Amino acid sequence: MTAGGWRTFIPVAVLVAVLAVAGYVVAAVNEPTNAASGETAPTLRGEGLDGEPLDLTEVTADVVLVNFWASWCPPCEQEVDVLLEAERRYPDDQLAVLGVNSQDERGNAQRAAEEWGADGYRNVFDGDGHIAVDWGVVGLPETFVVDADGKVLARHKGPVTREWLNETLDGLVSS
Amino acid sequence: MRRWLAWAGMLAAIAFAVFGLWSAAAAQRTTPADDVRSVATTLRCPTCTAESVADSTAPMATSMRTTVEEKLAAGESPDEIRAWFVERYGQQVLLQPPQHGIGLALWLLPLVVAPATAWLVVRARGGGRPARWLAGGAACTIVVGAWFAFEHDQWGADRAAAAAPVADPVGALGRAVEETPGDVELRLALGRALGDSGRHVEAAEHLQAATRLEPRNPSALYLTAFSLARADRQADAEPLLERLLDVAPEHAEGLLLLGTIRHQQGDPAGDELLRRFLEVAPDHPAADQAESMVNGDERG
């Protein structure tokens, strides 16, 4: 190849390489498509901590807060009061809290629910964490806001705060 | 000389190809656990830093491995399983670039660039047939080597796992706790190990988790209270010690610790607890110290 040819080839090769890397990076930072805002929530069905069967589709509130937690997770304890407050503030047909106790042991979960007050709302037991994986949960705690049509309206990683909850529920439910 | 180099290049390419085919054939003879690991190695643990689902001990990685196992048992292919995870966690869940779309272009790029470069080099130098053979051999070697790396990328992860430190009890216990976060004994062992290393704040955190798991476990209550006291959090230690003495009224160390804390606060109830300690454990190594506190010898 002549010197002129090299001068053309090298920039083209560099450009192709840069585009390939940039394309991959863009693809890699894409948000997940499932359990993200606007997507249909995955199935949530299982046995409650109390042994009774539970199914998200049978919860008749306009908005459901689906909260993933575990007894071994200290931040999960911090948010229980905030979730309880929300459930008490709104009528049952407007808002419901549905806990999903994940990656846990049933006895420990029952004790923690009782001690923390998380037994103030219904909880599905997800001992092996398969529901959490199906929902694309990254770490505990994590909370999803789901509407009556089963659409995920919002999600929050980490302990839920009053500010986030008020801002998110504003316009969705009326207190 | 050039001919020998050309033959050497071709032999290297053939050797790579044979080794690759042999490895691919060997990969067919796998157990279900191997299959789970093979898929899990290509998935990134979402709660970890640059760690695969296969190697991580995080609870989320454990759940993801279980899901992989269930899906393989249900007859889903590795590609289908990876696609399922991508739907939930996005492309970033893949440790390797996807083998389609722009990701495929990234994989194919070196395979195209290597022969093209070799061809250009030969043309630029104007070499004869031996040089072309040499360049061809080198290009084949690169292509087969790249394919081999593509197929067997998980070897890197295996090496990383093999190189993980095993002589670090705190690290090993930490990983074990992540694996089975509900195991109280493991939490207690980790708390003790951290306390022994002088990391009392971290020890207290794990021991507090143990007391949440078993709120009336005397060992958990005492060790947690002890760690909190060592971390200068006597106010947090007191309710645990009260609960401990409610569960086990003659727990000598509990009496000693709560008695000492209250004594240092100037609370007469502390001396009463220390007297009970002396009654329960008169031969305890700390008995002399407790007696001094009760008699007021150590003050001033």
Side-chain angles (χ1 to χ4, degrees):
Chain A
M1 186 180 279
T2 63
W6 278 111
R7 274 198 292 274
T8 308
F9 172 76
I10 291 173
V12 170
V14 169
L15 184 65
V16 168
V18 168
L19 285 176
V21 172
Y24 177 67
V25 169
V26 168
V29 299
N30 273 346
E31 281 297 307
T33 56
N34 205 349
S37 296
E39 296 294 323
T40 303
T43 307
L44 203 173
R45 188 183 300 127
E47 194 176 279
L49 273 183
D50 54 4
E52 294 294 316
L54 265 176
D55 189 336
L56 175 62
T57 58
E58 290 170 8
V59 179
T60 52
D62 294 340
V63 171
V64 184
L65 298 177
V66 178
N67 172 250
F68 288 82
W69 67 280
S71 67
W72 46 265
C73 152
C76 298
E77 184 180 1
Q78 295 169 18
E79 63 180 2
V80 171
D81 288 345
V82 179
L83 294 168
L84 280 171
E85 266 179 38
E87 175 151 281
R88 285 170 190 152
R89 191 183 319 144
Y90 299 100
D92 290 350
D93 61 343
Q94 287 194 17
L95 183 132
V97 177
L98 184 57
V100 183
N101 173 263
S102 201
Q103 300 151 8
D104 212 340
E105 290 167 15
R106 189 185 286 268
N108 296 334
Q110 286 167 332
R111 266 197 299 275
E114 197 178 330
E115 272 193 18
W116 301 352
D119 56 354
Y121 42 84
R122 285 164 293 179
N123 281 282
V124 176
F125 181 60
D126 175 34
D128 65 2
H130 74 277
I131 298 176
V133 174
D134 199 13
W135 280 64
V137 169
V138 172
L140 300 180
E142 196 161 325
T143 301
F144 297 79
V145 180
V146 181
D147 72 7
D149 296 327
K151 292 266 187 281
V152 176
L153 303 177
R155 73 189 283 180
H156 183 82
K157 295 170 187 171
V160 165
T161 60
R162 283 182 185 84
E163 294 72 28
W164 179 81
L165 207 51
N166 291 339
E167 197 178 307
T168 307
L169 296 179
D170 186 31
L172 294 176
V173 284
S174 51
S175 52
Chain B
M1 183 63 185
R2 281 182 171 178
R3 170 169 286 200
W4 281 108
L5 282 172
W7 278 109
M10 287 303 291
L11 283 174
I14 291 165
F16 263 118
V18 169
F19 188 49
L21 289 169
W22 172 80
S23 299
Q28 303 299 315
R29 299 188 297 269
T30 56
T31 64
D34 292 335
D35 294 340
V36 172
R37 181 166 179 78
S38 171
V39 177
T41 305
T42 63
L43 298 173
R44 188 188 307 278
C45 163
T47 53
C48 317
T49 305
E51 203 170 11
S52 77
V53 165
D55 296 322
S56 171
T57 55
M60 192 52 69
T62 306
S63 296
M64 289 170 82
R65 282 197 297 273
T66 305
T67 302
V68 170
E69 189 177 356
E70 287 168 358
K71 289 189 166 296
L72 283 171
E76 291 188 37
S77 72
D79 283 342
E80 286 172 332
I81 295 169
R82 277 187 282 268
W84 187 89
F85 275 99
V86 167
E87 274 184 22
R88 278 142 187 85
Y89 290 93
Q91 292 284 356
Q92 64 267 36
V93 79
L94 299 178
L95 276 170
Q96 298 172 329
Q99 294 164 27
H100 54 79
I102 195 75
L104 182 62
L106 196 66
W107 280 113
L108 293 178
L109 196 64
L111 304 187
V112 175
V113 168
T117 307
W119 178 74
L120 288 167
V121 168
V122 170
R123 282 206 53 188
R125 295 196 174 176
R129 203 169 71 167
R132 283 198 294 275
W133 275 99
L134 176 60
C140 287
T141 305
I142 291 168
V143 170
V144 176
W147 167 76
F148 185 77
F150 172 79
E151 285 292 311
H152 301 275
D153 193 46
Q154 68 269 22
W155 283 19
D158 289 348
R159 281 195 302 275
V166 292
D168 169 21
V170 170
L173 284 166
R175 286 189 289 277
V177 164
E178 283 185 0
E179 183 80 39
T180 48
D183 190 315
V184 173
E185 291 306 319
L186 274 177
R187 290 252 181 205
L188 294 179
L190 176 59
R192 280 195 198 97
L194 285 165
D196 291 344
S197 311
R199 294 156 67 179
H200 297 292
V201 174
E202 291 169 77
E205 192 179 308
H206 284 284
L207 292 166
Q208 279 180 302
T211 55
R212 276 192 293 274
L213 291 165
E214 288 190 5
R216 296 179 73 78
N217 178 325
S219 297
L221 287 166
Y222 175 73
L223 287 169
T224 308
F226 181 78
S227 267
L228 288 167
R230 291 295 300 269
D232 289 328
R233 292 172 58 189
Q234 281 80 357
D236 293 327
E238 281 183 76
L240 296 177
L241 289 166
E242 285 166 3
R243 199 193 305 166
L244 166 65
L245 295 177
D246 182 42
V247 176
E250 297 196 344
H251 193 288
E253 282 78 14
L255 288 166
L256 176 64
L257 185 54
L258 186 58
T260 304
I261 290 172
R262 298 243 161 105
H263 175 84
Q264 287 170 346
Q265 293 167 345
D267 184 346
D271 290 354
E272 181 55 36
L273 288 164
L274 290 171
R275 283 191 200 95
R276 273 174 56 199
F277 162 72
L278 288 168
E279 284 170 18
V280 169
D283 300 324
H284 194 282
D288 290 345
Q289 195 184 348
E291 203 160 351
S292 300
M293 280 193 277
V294 170
N295 295 331
D297 298 341
E298 94 301 353
R299 288 195 190 155

